[in-house]
Amino acid sequence: MSKPIYLDNNATTSVDERVLEAMMPFFSQEFGNASSRTHAYGWVADEAVAQAREQVAALIGGEPDRVIFTSGATEAINLALKGLARAHARKGRHIVVTQTEHMAVLDVCRSLERDGFEITYLPVNQAGILDVRLLQETIRSDTILVGVIWANNETGVIQPIDEIAEVARSKRCVLFSDSTQAVGRIPVSANQADLLTVSAHKFYGPKGVGALYLGGGRPVIRLTPQIDGGGQESGRRGGTLNTPGIVGLGKAAEIAVQELESEGRRMAQLRDRLETTIIERLEGTRVNGSRSSRLSGTTNLRFPGLSSAKLIPELHELAVSAGSACSSGSGRPSHVLKALGLTDEEAGASIRIGLGRFTTKAEIDRAIDLIIDKVEAQWTLSPS
Ligand code: PLP
């Protein structure tokens, strides 16, 4: 049986062969511990980690010594939110985030609530965009942190980060942005937010490795470490460094610097071809969220009267999803789509399609045919 066409690149991407090649020596020949100072095994690993730190910093125009390697974005989010909350609790205990954050952020917020922090979950408009004036009005004297997802994992909607940063700065709040879907896909600049997340597997690197970037001015933002032990990462994150993973992250970042723009243009063309053809042929189809401020490879389509739970098994030749990979198994309507004002039925009639570096035009044409065919068949079975 041939494998389905992979259109779930917001969940994860395949490792680029060039990334894999860069990583391979660090599993066997160059297996040293980057913290070993007494022999060449350690020195080689340490040098490789230093190079990766530079590559990650270069991707976002930042400084290498502000990159903290982690096991991925979820850990980076935990470090950013819990680490900041705990280090700044004496200043205030109020945090503001949007309702469309990834569960990795929302779950940390729930944990902080249990620890006595107060969280305000701001609504977004129908396009999925945060009203900056509302943010301004919500920040209080005891607000220590504003958290806004840069690009949404379900809709691809991109927030007006610069305007949000202006408000946060004018109110002397730290701006954390879950930039997991943005870094490596669209230009992200380190000085646009104070804390940024990076995850290698979202841009053709390996799973289980990422980073937190400590932006902002000087002194560097204070965070309470969430993993103690060993003093790695300047005492901010203990544990032996995952050298092969970090090398892979660095290589993926280097490739993204070179290819991000042309790749973005190519994916937008393919995505628009898919979207416009489907909308033309399947009357009533809607795109969830902003169509203009959006990641170039993402579309979230809604087919009136349909159930994605029934449609997706019919589309078994395509690897697509009903929402984020983390929540699509839950059976609950997407909190992101609900925040855009969709009813449970509308949210349940939506599918997410995520194109990637290796998506071809032939695959998109096949996906268009299949989606039209299967949606029409379902409409015929259950006319609204
Ligand atoms: N934040 C967003 C927006 C994501 O899309 C993801 C991945 O699904 C995460 C956080 C978690 O990333 P990781 O898989 O690296 O822990």
Side-chain angles (χ1 to χ4, degrees):
M1 198 182 96
S2 65
K3 280 196 171 166
I5 296 169
Y6 190 73
L7 292 173
D8 204 11
N9 283 278
N10 293 32
T12 194
T13 61
S14 70
V15 173
D16 191 301
E17 290 293 337
R18 294 167 287 181
V19 170
L20 187 61
E21 200 185 318
M23 291 171 70
M24 285 310 276
F26 293 92
F27 287 105
S28 46
Q29 298 102 293
E30 309 297 355
F31 59 86
N33 185 326
S35 299
S36 298
R37 297 276 177 262
T38 49
H39 49 71
Y41 293 94
W43 303 332
V44 170
D46 184 47
E47 251 174 56
V49 168
Q51 188 190 0
R53 212 180 285 284
E54 281 176 19
Q55 287 163 321
V56 171
L59 175 60
I60 55 173
E63 296 167 29
D65 62 356
R66 287 174 175 246
V67 174
I68 305 173
F69 288 120
T70 64
S71 63
T74 302
E75 190 195 322
I77 290 165
N78 273 265
L79 176 55
L81 297 182
K82 292 180 185 163
L84 186 116
R86 287 176 188 153
H88 293 74
R90 266 193 288 149
K91 266 206 259 164
R93 300 179 77 86
H94 181 231
I95 291 170
V96 182
V97 298
T98 76
Q99 291 175 0
T100 55
E101 299 300 310
H102 189 274
M103 286 314 292
V105 169
L106 294 177
D107 281 347
V108 174
C109 287
R110 307 278 182 239
S111 161
L112 287 170
E113 280 173 333
R114 289 192 290 275
D115 286 351
F117 288 87
E118 188 189 341
I119 320 280
T120 303
Y121 301 90
L122 287 180
V124 294
N125 66 16
Q126 261 195 326
I129 296 193
L130 175 65
D131 177 353
V132 182
R133 270 176 317 178
L134 178 64
L135 173 65
Q136 180 137 27
E137 288 158 16
T138 308
I139 297 175
R140 317 185 308 214
S141 56
D142 62 339
T143 308
I144 49 172
L145 179 75
V146 170
V148 177
I149 185 166
W150 196 302
N152 190 273
N153 48 299
E154 292 190 36
T155 58
V157 168
I158 298 171
Q159 296 294 341
I161 279 294
D162 290 337
E163 289 171 48
I164 290 166
E166 222 177 283
V167 171
R169 277 179 198 147
S170 73
K171 301 271 188 178
R172 297 182 175 280
C173 278
V174 171
L175 174 61
F176 159 74
S177 183
D178 176 358
S179 50
T180 310
Q181 291 282 344
V183 170
R185 297 183 169 177
I186 54 172
V188 167
S189 172
N191 57 24
Q192 285 176 279
D194 301 313
L195 293 164
L196 292 164
T197 56
V198 180
S199 180
H201 76 100
K202 302 295 183 186
F203 56 105
Y204 315 98
K207 292 165 189 55
V209 61
L212 178 68
Y213 185 81
L214 302 175
R218 296 205 179 269
V220 175
I221 296 169
R222 238 173 352 107
L223 297 176
T224 304
Q226 300 302 302
I227 302 179
D228 293 312
Q232 289 89 350
E233 299 302 86
S234 310
R236 293 188 178 103
R237 194 270 189 186
T240 300
L241 291 175
N242 168 9
T243 314
I246 289 169
V247 168
L249 168 59
K251 186 66 186 177
E254 183 193 275
I255 297 170
V257 168
Q258 294 154 4
E259 302 185 359
L260 178 143
E261 256 187 61
S262 58
E263 199 162 88
R265 273 197 304 275
R266 194 188 72 88
M267 279 199 292
Q269 271 174 6
L270 289 180
R271 191 267 319 268
D272 293 349
R273 178 184 177 86
L274 175 125
E275 224 172 56
T276 48
T277 319
I278 288 177
I279 289 169
E280 257 173 45
R281 295 275 305 277
L282 298 173
E283 211 186 316
T285 302
R286 296 276 179 276
V287 175
N288 293 322
S290 168
R291 287 183 77 175
S292 49
S293 182
R294 193 167 44 143
L295 292 174
S296 56
T298 307
T299 181
N300 194 307
L301 294 174
R302 185 167 91 238
F303 307 104
L306 267 198
S307 150
S308 60
K310 287 194 186 144
L311 178 63
I312 288 174
E314 288 294 316
L315 291 171
H316 53 83
E317 282 182 58
L318 303 179
V320 295
S321 74
S324 80
C326 313
S327 62
S328 59
S330 73
R332 283 194 300 272
S334 147
H335 71 279
V336 172
L337 298 183
K338 294 275 290 177
L340 268 56
L342 270 64
T343 62
D344 285 2
E345 288 70 32
E346 287 171 332
S350 304
I351 62 168
R352 176 183 73 175
I353 298 175
L355 285 69
R357 178 175 291 167
F358 306 112
T359 307
T360 65
K361 182 164 168 289
E363 287 178 329
I364 288 300
D365 286 343
R366 178 78 186 129
I368 292 171
D369 289 346
L370 280 168
I371 292 170
I372 292 172
D373 198 40
K374 300 298 179 189
V375 171
E376 277 177 342
Q378 297 254 325
W379 276 346
T380 316
L381 280 176
S382 52
S384 53

